[in-house]
Amino acid sequence: MMWHVTTVEAGAEPTRRWHAERAWLAGAQLAGAQLAGAQLAGAQLAGAQLASDVLIEARGARFTAVTPGTPAGSVPPGTVRLPGLTLPGLANAHSHAFHRALRGRAGMGGATFWAWRERMYAVAERLGPDTYFDLARAVYAEMALAGVTCVGEFHYLHHAAGGKRYSDPNELGRLLIRAAAAAGLRITLLDACYLAGGFVAGGDPVPLAGVQLRFGDGSAGAWAERVSGFGCDSLGMAAPHARLGAAVHSVRAVPPGQLPEIIAWSRAHGAPVHAHLSEQPLENAECLAAFGQTPAEVLYDAGALGPRTTLVHATHLSERDVELLGGSRSTVCMCPLTEADLADGVGPAPALAAAGSPLALGSDGHSVIDLLEEARWLELSQRLVTRRRGHFGVAGLVAAATTAGHACLGWPEAGEIVPGAYADLVTLPLDSPRLAGGGNDPLAVVLAAGTAADVRNVVASGMDVVRDGHHLLVDDVPGELAAAIGAVLD
Ligand SMILES: [Zn+2]
């Protein structure tokens, strides 16, 4: 049985084919898979969505047909065999590429979040266009090796020292878009408005100082004018692999009166909006002292919440905050490993999901780049807090790493192996010591013990990016990371 989609245009590109031993398929294909007599594993939802012997076809960047139950002996010549488990592409919904330089350098020894931020500022101070491109390309290549096919880059380092504009005021944003292409990823550049260094009681903003001057545009109006200079098409695309989104760095950095202009820009362009929210208790305390409202309430009153909006972290929320986020169908992007690394706390992920918020995942400060670990710790962190198991289930965890992440980045047609979707495939052969002996439920064993190191093949937008564990566009990823980090840190 075939699922051909007539809306996928027949271009000049040849049809590519893969044959997956096991693949995680969208629910819509489940009925068809059963009709086709595919071997479906397990009685759980996760098992029910795992199909065997799946012939996957693509032309250009999109899947054209997905056929479970195709015997290996009957696939067309040239079909690439994918042993083990094949997942849709993973979405890393929250990244600050240059923070990767801080891995292992500012985590231990009792340093606080705020001390970590000072180290981060020191890196930001030293980055120029050349060093930033090299670092970002290497970091995105590391992501590709981990199975990430789309990244949401929360970008706030816009200008040169002292806030001086580059001749192209969007030079660093364009550089990140080029870096993603060079590493084989799609990207949503979440261009962040960053206007203030906090606020004092009463709500007056603290002027930017030092390296923060590189982040600021002066006003939301000036931010919108600069961002409009990207010259995106009517669909918000900056390039075939790149779309633009808006970001509010946080309520600390954008005074409430400036928010409506950012929201208006996002609505006019159909663009996603992302914002850091309540990562630290101090942010909430200062916001309450300044405005008599929580950060979530400030965003709600400004009309900033909704299905196109994603709140990052959402660690310290009141019950009303949870209602506002869930009721507005805002996505929440959890970054469990960064939140652990920075001692932020554990956010109320199950309550948010129950209230209506889709959950996505990001590696944020990149203390680790591993979406499988992030998914695992979305569940395990709740077990530690509640002393109960089973908060999300494997289907929920896979959705957080795939469909929810892509959707909140403005790519709803990605994250599923289904005709018409972006042709992204992530294959784990299940032959490592960590995964061997997983039996008939490979997804369960991958979520229990799989890591980025188990990802062996990655296809993104129909293009081979990783083959046999080797990045095809960036030959020496560790070497390039070491060189790029060495250029900005002593
Ligand atoms: Zn962040």
Side-chain angles (χ1 to χ4, degrees):
M1 182 165 178
M2 303 287 281
W3 287 268
H4 288 291
V5 171
T6 53
T7 53
V8 177
E9 291 181 15
E13 304 98 334
T15 296
R16 300 200 58 204
R17 295 182 179 87
W18 301 266
H19 188 254
E21 184 179 358
R22 307 292 291 277
W24 173 260
L25 299 186
Q29 291 174 326
L30 177 58
Q34 287 170 322
L35 288 172
Q39 295 174 21
L40 299 175
Q44 304 296 317
L45 177 62
Q49 290 183 312
L50 271 176
S52 298
D53 293 324
V54 186
L55 179 63
I56 303 165
E57 299 174 72
R59 198 161 44 235
R62 307 281 188 140
F63 291 126
T64 52
V66 178
T67 314
T70 305
S74 65
V75 301
T79 301
V80 176
R81 184 169 173 271
L82 299 175
L85 175 65
T86 294
L87 298 171
L90 307 180
N92 188 354
H94 190 66
S95 160
H96 309 284
F98 75 85
H99 292 195
R100 170 66 177 81
L102 294 166
R103 182 183 297 175
R105 295 173 184 262
M108 301 301 175
T112 65
F113 171 91
W114 305 102
W116 170 87
R117 194 179 70 158
E118 288 307 312
R119 285 300 305 266
M120 182 268 284
Y121 280 1
V123 175
E125 202 147 32
R126 296 184 64 168
L127 278 170
D130 290 347
T131 51
Y132 202 178
F133 178 83
D134 291 346
L135 178 57
R137 182 181 59 172
V139 172
Y140 294 154
E142 181 185 355
M143 286 185 200
L145 287 170
V148 173
T149 55
C150 185
V151 60
E153 178 66 28
F154 197 108
H155 167 55
Y156 58 88
L157 183 64
H158 302 301
H159 307 299
K164 188 171 182 296
R165 275 29 180 185
Y166 291 105
S167 55
D168 171 3
N170 290 310
E171 172 156 356
L172 297 185
R174 288 191 213 281
L175 164 162
L176 290 163
I177 289 172
R178 287 200 309 276
L185 274 63
R186 292 189 305 278
I187 184 172
T188 296
L189 188 76
L190 299 158
D191 194 297
C193 184
Y194 196 125
L195 305 174
F199 34 69
V200 296
D204 287 338
V206 176
L208 299 179
V211 69
Q212 291 175 334
L213 293 168
R214 297 191 68 180
F215 311 159
D217 288 299
S219 69
W223 168 87
E225 190 178 336
R226 176 178 58 74
V227 171
S228 295
F230 270 102
C232 292
D233 68 15
S234 61
L235 300 176
M237 302 296 286
H241 75 293
R243 63 168 55 252
L244 198 59
V248 172
H249 180 276
S250 57
V251 296
R252 301 182 78 254
V254 181
Q258 300 284 324
L259 290 168
E261 187 131 18
I262 301 168
I263 304 310
W265 184 92
S266 77
R267 288 193 179 136
H269 295 80
V273 185
H274 287 224
H276 291 119
L277 182 79
S278 296
E279 181 177 6
Q280 289 280 323
L282 181 63
E283 176 186 329
N284 286 4
E286 289 183 350
C287 192
L288 283 163
F291 308 118
Q293 292 183 306
T294 65
E297 289 169 344
V298 169
L299 292 177
Y300 175 75
D301 277 1
L305 302 184
R308 201 179 289 136
T309 298
T310 297
L311 292 319
V312 182
H313 302 305
T315 309
H316 302 283
L317 300 185
S318 69
E319 285 186 20
R320 176 168 157 75
D321 292 343
V322 172
E323 288 172 12
L324 293 177
L325 268 52
S328 63
R329 300 296 182 264
S330 302
T331 294
V332 171
C333 179
M334 297 284 179
C335 309
L337 300 180
T338 295
E339 288 147 14
D341 184 54
L342 296 177
D344 290 340
V346 178
L352 285 161
S357 285
L359 300 180
L361 294 167
S363 64
D364 190 12
H366 308 316
S367 56
V368 181
I369 294 177
D370 190 332
L371 271 290
L372 298 171
E373 281 266 28
E374 300 285 357
R376 179 175 310 132
W377 279 95
L378 182 64
E379 166 70 21
L380 292 185
S381 60
Q382 297 298 327
R383 293 185 187 182
L384 289 171
V385 169
T386 64
R387 292 185 288 162
R388 277 193 301 107
R389 308 178 78 197
H391 295 272
F392 295 107
V394 289
L397 298 179
V398 173
T402 57
T403 48
H406 284 101
C408 83
L409 295 175
W411 305 87
E413 66 282 67
E416 291 181 275
I417 303 174
V418 63
Y422 276 91
D424 300 344
L425 298 169
V426 176
T427 301
L428 299 82
L430 310 176
D431 59 358
S432 73
R434 289 173 294 279
L435 303 180
N440 202 34
D441 198 348
L443 189 55
V445 75
V446 164
L447 286 170
T451 71
D454 293 303
V455 172
R456 205 74 59 78
N457 284 278
V458 179
V459 175
S461 301
M463 184 177 73
D464 288 318
V465 178
V466 176
R467 190 184 296 154
D468 295 329
H470 181 72
H471 200 295
L472 299 179
L473 303 176
V474 180
D475 187 47
D476 178 8
V477 177
E480 297 217 6
L481 279 165
I485 291 168
V488 293
L489 277 176
D490 298 324

